[in-house]
């Protein structure tokens, strides 16, 4: 039997060989199912977990990386670095690297990428989160040596470089990109909005060639659906599934999640501007009842917005007790003083921010209503949720407590405190001069002084001001299909490095 082609007959044996070759190629492709659609593919947003799972260290790489096992800094696009003086660091760049569009990777390209990231006109997540409080002067010493001078001491500048991705100098300045171009092991192919994102292995990658040839990302809000897709072979990896769906001893893996979840209190809006009301919000929640029901039994109650393993965590802050009677007393006392405690308070939640996010906020709402708060719930998609989380806030303002999940596995409180709590922080609703001063001192301090100052900052935030309703340090569950080998780590929440995936 033969088939006709433009160049002549195709024999059965040849056709069978081509089909086998095609099947073998497909065996090297993977499908990853995410909990929501990324809201952009902009390289400087790769620090956002849902975007980072696609872009970070796959398409765009960083100068410095972090070892997921022990937290140590390791080279990536920079081979080494040293501090020249109190205000200056020198980075030595990897040679023989090119971007996917052919542009050379050198000091000028890195300067362009950093300047683009710090451009306020495009509101890069990493600029807001990491570099809001320092000014940098960039200098190419030679083609592969970069010096960075800061306006104030930045003793952990190499650590601050961990989330900063380097994009091609051909990426337009001053506008968000839908065509990420980096130096990573994978090239961006396309983003079919509402359907899928596709990556292809780069033949020009400077490092070892990974086994995965093509990666397809899809998204499903329902955890059970994601788990089922991996079980049936429709997908190879679901990096995030709910604990109730982690039922397979062979496919499901727990991993230490770097996320902490909280409710941010808008302290400017009555009745939330009264400290007694903010205290009552915390006392109204039965955190132990939430564990093992709408949250995994393995989560740990949080006292602040960073993990105990992060430099600056204050170990002396206690978990809020469950005391509904005291909460009612505080509400009554505030009402007697004319505080409008019956004003409606809205919980602004985010769909899919973690498995069971809607159910968890429904449970929180019920507990707050039980002690007498007038509470409603709005669950929003990420693009709408961010509008309430990040300045400028929508007007007119109203009393809001906002579901927020924050990822800090970078080793220091600086990645959290400024942009979440300083007056000038992009996610902050606070205006406390004393706290601002402590934050600024801590950012420039080193050693034990740095730890003590961060400890003091968290004491002010969580004890004096009561800026949050801390909830939990989270854990993650990933479902890994039987045809691949992948080991989830603390980094899995914010990135899934395709080069670490092999085939069984």
């Amino acid at each position: 039997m033969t088939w006709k082609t433009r160049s002549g007959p195709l024999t059965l044996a040849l056709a069978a060989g081509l089909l086998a070759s095609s099947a073998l190629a497909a065996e090297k492709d993977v499908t990853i199912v995410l909990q929501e659609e990324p809201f952009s593919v902009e390289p400087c947003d790769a620090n956002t977990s849902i975007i980072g799972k696609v872009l970070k260290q796959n398409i765009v790489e960083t100068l410095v990386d972090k070892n997921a096992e022990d937290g140590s800094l390791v080279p990536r696009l920079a081979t080494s670095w040293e501090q020249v003086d109190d205000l200056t660091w020198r980075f030595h760049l990897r040679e023989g690297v090119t971007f996917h569009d052919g542009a050379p990777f050198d000091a000028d390209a890195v300067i362009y990428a950093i300047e683009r990231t710090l451009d306020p006109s495009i509101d890069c997540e990493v600029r807001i989160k990491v570099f809001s409080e320092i000014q940098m002067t960039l200098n190419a010493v030679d083609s592969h040596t970069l010096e960075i001078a800061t306006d104030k001491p930045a003793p952990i500048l190499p650590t601050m470089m961990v989330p900063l991705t380097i994009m091609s100098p051909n990426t337009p300045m001053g506008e968000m990109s839908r065509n990420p171009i980096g130096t990573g092991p994978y090239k961006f192919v396309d983003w079919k909005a509402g359907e899928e994102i596709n990556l292809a292995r780069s033949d020009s990658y400077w490092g070892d060639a990974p086994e995965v040839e093509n990666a397809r990302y899809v998204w499903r809000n329902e955890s059970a659906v994601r788990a089922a897709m991996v079980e049936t072979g429709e997908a190879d990896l679901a990096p995030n599934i709910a604990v109730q769906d982690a039922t397979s001893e062979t496919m499901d893996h727990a991993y230490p999640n770097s996320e902490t979840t909280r409710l941010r209190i808008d302290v400017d809006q009555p009745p939330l501007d009264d400290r007694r009301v903010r205290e009552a919000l915390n006392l109204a929640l039965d955190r132990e009842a939430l564990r093992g029901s709408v949250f995994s039994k393995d989560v740990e109650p949080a006292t602040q917005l960073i993990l105990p393993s992060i430099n600056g965590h204050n170990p002396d802050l206690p978990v809020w007790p469950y005391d509904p009677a005291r909460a009612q007393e505080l509400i009554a006392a505030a009402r007697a003083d004319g505080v409008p405690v019956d004003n409606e308070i809205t919980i602004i939640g985010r769909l899919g921010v973690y498995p069971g996010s809607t159910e968890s906020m429904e449970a929180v709402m019920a507990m707050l209503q039980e002690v007498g708060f007038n509470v409603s719930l709005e669950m929003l998609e990420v693009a709408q949720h961010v509008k309430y989380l990040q300045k400028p806030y929508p007007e007119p303002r109203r009393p809001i407590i906002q579901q927020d999940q924050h990822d800090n596995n970078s080793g220091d409180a600086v990645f959290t405190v400024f942009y979440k709590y300083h007056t000038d922080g992009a996610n902050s609703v606070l205006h406390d001069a004393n706290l601002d001063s402590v934050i600024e001192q801590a950012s420039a301090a080193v050693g034990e002084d740095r730890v003590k100052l961060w400890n003091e900052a968290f004491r002010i935030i969580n004890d004096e001001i009561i800026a949050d309703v801390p909830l939990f340090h989270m854990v993650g569950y990933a479902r890994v299909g039987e045809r691949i080998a992948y080991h989830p780590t603390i980094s899995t929440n914010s990135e899934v490095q395709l080069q670490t995936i092999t085939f069984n």
Side-chain angles (χ1 to χ4, degrees):
M1 182 181 297
T2 62
W3 289 265
K4 289 289 186 179
T5 69
R6 290 183 179 180
S7 58
L10 181 65
T11 66
L12 179 61
L14 178 57
L18 290 174
L19 289 171
S21 175
S22 176
L24 185 61
E27 290 177 0
K28 299 296 185 180
D29 297 349
V30 297
T31 296
I32 297 174
V33 56
L34 306 174
Q35 68 267 31
E36 60 183 334
E37 181 174 9
F39 58 87
S40 88
V41 289
E42 163 56 52
C44 68
D45 277 342
N47 197 50
T48 304
S49 60
I50 192 66
I51 300 169
K53 288 186 178 75
V54 180
L55 269 64
K56 192 176 181 185
Q57 313 299 22
N58 292 327
I59 298 174
V60 285
E61 299 178 286
T62 57
L63 296 180
V64 182
D65 203 357
K66 183 175 283 290
N67 186 311
E69 300 301 326
D70 62 13
S72 61
L73 299 183
V74 294
R76 190 82 184 199
L77 289 175
T79 56
S80 62
W81 46 87
E82 68 266 358
Q83 190 166 14
V84 178
D85 56 45
D86 287 347
L87 298 177
T88 309
W89 285 84
R90 180 178 296 143
F91 293 84
H92 302 277
L93 307 180
R94 191 175 298 279
E95 298 187 21
V97 178
T98 59
F99 291 92
H100 300 146
D101 59 1
F105 169 77
D106 56 21
D108 288 337
V110 174
I111 290 173
Y112 182 89
I114 295 175
E115 289 179 343
R116 184 178 180 276
T117 299
L118 301 183
D119 181 357
S121 67
I122 57 174
D123 275 341
C124 284
E125 168 74 11
V126 69
R127 177 187 67 82
I128 294 168
K129 184 175 182 179
V130 182
F131 296 102
S132 295
E133 58 176 321
I134 66 169
Q135 300 293 319
M136 297 192 291
T137 301
L138 310 169
N139 176 48
V141 177
D142 58 41
S143 64
H144 285 81
T145 306
L146 172 69
E147 283 192 352
I148 302 178
T150 55
D151 62 334
K152 62 185 72 172
I156 62 164
L157 188 65
T159 303
M160 296 169 71
M161 287 294 167
V162 170
L164 195 151
T165 56
I166 306 300
M167 73 290 295
S168 167
N170 295 317
T171 308
M173 183 72 75
E175 61 184 74
M176 302 293 280
S177 174
R178 287 180 62 92
N179 182 33
I181 302 170
T183 57
Y186 293 87
K187 298 183 294 185
F188 176 75
V189 176
D190 59 25
W191 175 14
K192 299 174 183 176
E195 297 181 23
E196 63 186 25
I197 294 173
N198 292 284
L199 312 186
R201 190 170 65 185
S202 171
D203 294 332
S204 62
Y205 183 54
W206 57 267
D208 294 335
E211 289 192 23
V212 172
E213 293 183 355
N214 299 286
R216 172 176 171 258
Y217 296 84
V218 297
W219 36 87
R220 302 291 185 270
N221 291 135
E222 300 84 1
S223 169
V225 173
R226 298 195 297 276
M229 288 175 67
V230 177
E231 183 175 9
T232 61
E234 186 179 351
D236 297 289
L237 173 64
N240 190 9
I241 62 171
V243 60
Q244 61 266 26
D245 299 316
T247 56
S248 171
E249 293 184 2
T250 58
M251 290 189 292
D252 297 334
H253 305 265
Y255 59 91
N257 193 324
S258 57
E259 297 275 17
T260 300
T261 188
R262 65 163 180 167
L263 298 172
R264 185 189 70 180
I265 305 172
D266 193 339
V267 300
D268 284 343
Q269 305 305 307
L272 302 176
D273 58 347
D274 189 281
R275 186 185 183 280
R276 292 168 295 185
V277 172
R278 301 195 295 274
E279 183 177 354
L281 290 172
N282 275 282
L283 295 172
L285 296 192
D286 187 348
R287 290 166 175 81
E288 285 305 309
L290 294 172
R291 294 175 74 189
S293 55
V294 291
F295 289 93
S296 164
K297 62 180 176 57
D298 298 320
V299 300
E300 293 294 332
T303 61
Q304 56 211 277
L305 199 53
I306 62 171
L307 300 168
S309 60
I310 299 300
N311 187 58
H313 180 275
N314 188 333
D316 297 327
L317 296 177
V319 175
W320 281 95
Y322 174 51
D323 193 342
R326 176 59 179 159
Q328 290 172 329
E329 290 175 2
L330 289 166
I331 294 170
R335 179 183 286 111
D337 289 340
V339 177
V341 294
D342 296 318
N343 283 4
E344 183 180 71
I345 299 169
T346 303
I347 301 174
I348 299 292
R350 176 178 157 188
L351 292 165
V353 64
Y354 47 75
S357 61
T358 298
E359 292 81 359
S360 68
M361 291 302 100
E362 289 172 343
V364 166
M365 177 175 65
M367 290 178 181
L368 295 178
Q369 291 171 339
E370 184 68 23
V371 300
F373 282 114
N374 177 14
V375 186
S376 63
L377 173 63
E378 295 180 18
M379 297 298 298
L380 304 177
E381 297 286 354
V382 58
Q384 295 301 312
H385 182 270
V386 168
K387 292 180 180 179
Y388 289 92
L389 187 64
Q390 188 165 296
K391 294 174 180 175
Y393 302 123
E395 296 290 349
R397 299 276 287 278
R398 51 184 168 137
I400 286 174
I401 53 177
Q402 183 155 4
Q403 182 186 30
D404 181 29
Q405 182 165 250
H406 172 62
D407 175 17
N408 183 345
N409 66 355
S410 299
D412 192 90
V414 72
F415 298 102
T416 299
V417 182
F418 184 90
Y419 94 112
K420 292 292 188 182
Y421 300 108
H422 190 279
T423 296
D424 296 330
N427 282 186
S428 174
V429 292
L430 303 184
H431 329 280
D432 188 286
N434 180 42
L435 175 61
D436 288 350
S437 176
V438 173
I439 292 172
E440 291 159 10
Q441 293 176 60
S443 299
V446 296
E448 189 59 31
D449 288 342
R450 188 181 186 89
V451 173
K452 289 180 179 178
L453 286 163
W454 285 135
N455 284 181
E456 174 64 6
F458 281 114
R459 187 196 66 80
I460 295 170
I461 292 163
N462 294 281
D463 188 8
E464 290 188 10
I465 299 173
I466 311 181
D468 299 327
V469 180
L471 293 175
F472 300 105
H473 301 306
M474 305 290 276
V475 293
Y477 299 88
R479 175 159 289 189
V480 181
E482 295 177 348
R483 63 188 290 266
I484 68 169
Y486 173 75
H487 175 61
T489 69
I490 194 171
S491 297
T492 298
N493 185 68
S494 56
E495 60 187 60
V496 176
Q497 296 192 26
L498 294 170
Q499 64 197 118
T500 66
I501 297 176
T502 58
F503 293 91
N504 294 324

